[in-house]
Amino acid sequence: MAVKKTSAEKKHAQSEVRRLHNKAIKSTCKTYARQFVEAVHAKDQKSAEEKLKLLVKELDSARSKGVLTRNAVSRKKSRMMKLYNVSFVTTAEK
């Protein structure tokens, strides 16, 4: 005979699957953020712009999946845009 799972065991298994899924998405966001910051510090504007677009896309995707909250995504995007603008836009105007 098969051994039945309790509802608590099932809930724990489901939460573990969700935790690993969310962890992978957050890790991808962090990786893109790190790559963007490295490109900015290397003064590579073209690469930084590409990385920023990827990062924004990934953050928006994480938000739509419910992994990150709306305010967290807005805060991260704002900080990255500010870093980009301070690094490249102001130097172009000088």
Side-chain angles (χ1 to χ4, degrees):
M1 252 179 94
V3 178
K4 285 198 160 198
K5 271 188 182 179
T6 66
S7 61
E9 290 170 334
K10 180 179 178 180
K11 188 68 175 172
H12 178 69
Q14 289 174 331
S15 68
E16 185 65 14
V17 168
R18 274 194 300 274
R19 183 184 72 82
L20 293 173
H21 180 255
N22 293 345
K23 184 179 176 183
I25 293 171
K26 287 180 187 179
S27 176
T28 304
C29 290
K30 289 176 187 176
T31 300
Y32 284 143
R34 180 180 44 78
Q35 290 174 351
F36 168 71
V37 171
E38 287 174 356
V40 168
H41 288 311
K43 305 281 190 233
D44 187 1
Q45 184 173 3
K46 183 175 171 124
S47 175
E49 189 173 351
E50 292 170 5
K51 302 288 184 192
L52 182 60
K53 285 181 183 178
L54 279 173
L55 175 60
V56 168
K57 181 179 177 183
E58 193 65 31
L59 287 171
D60 288 337
S61 175
R63 169 61 191 116
S64 69
K65 294 174 185 174
V67 176
L68 296 172
T69 64
R70 180 179 51 125
N71 287 345
V73 169
S74 295
R75 181 181 65 245
K76 291 174 194 298
K77 285 168 44 175
S78 176
R79 287 178 181 170
M80 294 302 166
M81 296 284 188
K82 183 177 179 182
L83 176 63
Y84 179 83
N85 290 334
V86 166
S87 301
F88 298 115
V89 175
T90 56
T91 59
E93 293 174 358
K94 291 182 180 179

